[in-house]
Amino acid sequence: MDLTRELDVAASLCRRAGDIILRYRQPGLTVSRKAGDEPVTVADREANALIVADLRATFPADGILSEEGAEVGAHEGGGRVWMVDPLDGTRDYVAGREGFAVMIGLCIDGRPSLGVVYQPLRTVLYRAVAGAGAAVEADGRTRPLRVSAVGDPSAARLISSASHRLAKLDELRTALGISDEVSLGSVGLKVGLIATGERDLYVNPEGATKLWDTCAPEAILAEAGGRLTDLGGQPIDYRGADIRNRRGLIATNSLLHPAVVPVAAQLLPV
């Protein structure tokens, strides 16, 4: 499957949306609230408008599921569906932290087949196409992505949410014997660090993330040799009517998955 054109378009749109986001990044930015008390800004909306309009014009036959103005039911039943988060990590963005990103993924017949995650502040771009490998563009060079070889849970380097960290995660850390933990906002950036081998494990016990939070990151992680599932070790359903990942998330370097899933399922039921 040749998705070269799709990857080029997605990468370009992520960079252009990133420019919009950085332009609005300043003190006094107005923050509104949407359903679920989630923050949203003019940067979210303008970046979304750019991405959705361009995807619709370039690939008119494809469905689009986006955080800001989702096409209801666009993803149900499969086919080609773009999943867009124009500003993943809005809380970090508003707080002046660096953990935010633009994410564009393409699902084909219910599986993440292409992913781009772009961190505007550091101009770091993670990208992947199913079957063609994953890479990161940073500091003027491109290098392939490969997860770590850490197989002992007690040696795992955990990455957690900067704004959604639950106390239940401490129970998981204790049970697995993990002592190394850092926090970051964007799901895509957390998973990106697992794809680079800098981190080994991400666990989100909440059922609050949506399909657009996981599509692009999963495509990248899978091509880097990692794995992303729900807390029970089951694949994310990208074709069902529900857009929420209600059973939480676990992302690992694959080697850790068999050891982490049973503990997470027991301690962090959803």
Side-chain angles (χ1 to χ4, degrees):
M1 183 185 310
D2 185 2
L3 297 177
T4 303
R5 181 177 180 231
E6 285 85 345
L7 182 62
D8 289 344
V9 169
S12 174
L13 282 173
C14 278
R15 294 185 187 278
R16 290 166 61 195
D19 290 341
I20 291 173
I21 290 166
L22 292 184
R23 190 166 70 241
Y24 281 106
R25 189 174 181 261
Q26 54 189 306
L29 176 69
T30 300
V31 181
S32 303
R33 295 285 165 176
K34 57 185 179 181
D37 199 35
E38 291 289 318
V40 62
T41 70
V42 64
D44 296 74
R45 295 190 174 109
E46 284 201 15
N48 184 78
L50 167 74
I51 294 169
V52 170
D54 200 292
L55 289 177
R56 188 169 284 138
T58 309
F59 306 106
D62 294 354
I64 302 174
L65 185 67
S66 173
E67 179 168 15
E68 310 304 333
E71 294 181 354
V72 177
H75 64 297
E76 293 182 54
R80 285 174 46 116
V81 182
W82 293 92
M83 299 195 176
V84 178
D85 193 337
L87 208 175
D88 182 41
T90 301
R91 283 187 171 86
D92 271 40
Y93 176 71
V94 170
R97 298 189 293 264
E98 65 178 31
F100 58 90
V102 184
M103 307 200 302
I104 300 177
L106 175 62
C107 254
I108 300 179
D109 295 329
R111 295 310 308 154
S113 300
L114 176 153
V116 178
V117 173
Y118 178 58
Q119 186 178 19
L121 269 182
R122 293 179 175 262
T123 62
V124 173
L125 186 141
Y126 303 93
R127 57 175 171 80
V129 169
V136 59
E137 300 175 15
D139 301 322
R141 64 190 184 99
T142 301
R143 61 183 177 88
L145 291 174
R146 195 65 195 171
V147 295
S148 72
V150 175
D152 179 358
S154 66
R157 296 163 295 177
L158 177 68
I159 187 161
S160 59
S161 174
S163 57
H164 290 285
R165 193 186 188 286
L166 298 184
K168 289 180 179 181
L169 206 54
D170 290 325
E171 298 179 40
L172 181 72
R173 276 188 54 175
T174 299
L176 294 173
I178 294 174
S179 59
D180 187 335
E181 179 184 354
V182 297
S183 298
L184 192 62
S186 162
V187 173
L189 296 183
K190 287 193 282 281
V191 173
L193 289 178
I194 298 175
T196 64
E198 296 172 65
R199 292 278 118 185
D200 313 302
L201 171 65
Y202 164 52
V203 179
N204 184 336
E206 290 189 297
T209 65
K210 311 292 198 307
L211 297 181
W212 49 72
D213 291 309
T214 53
C215 179
E218 182 174 355
I220 294 166
L221 185 60
E223 284 301 302
R227 189 177 174 194
L228 189 151
T229 68
D230 67 18
L231 289 181
Q234 297 302 306
I236 304 300
D237 181 8
Y238 288 96
R239 288 192 283 194
D242 196 348
I243 61 173
R244 290 182 60 180
N245 300 314
R246 294 185 184 273
R247 291 181 48 80
L249 302 175
I250 295 179
T252 74
N253 60 1
S254 288
L255 291 175
L256 288 167
H257 233 77
V260 174
V261 167
V263 178
Q266 180 178 4
L267 293 177
L268 310 172
V270 291

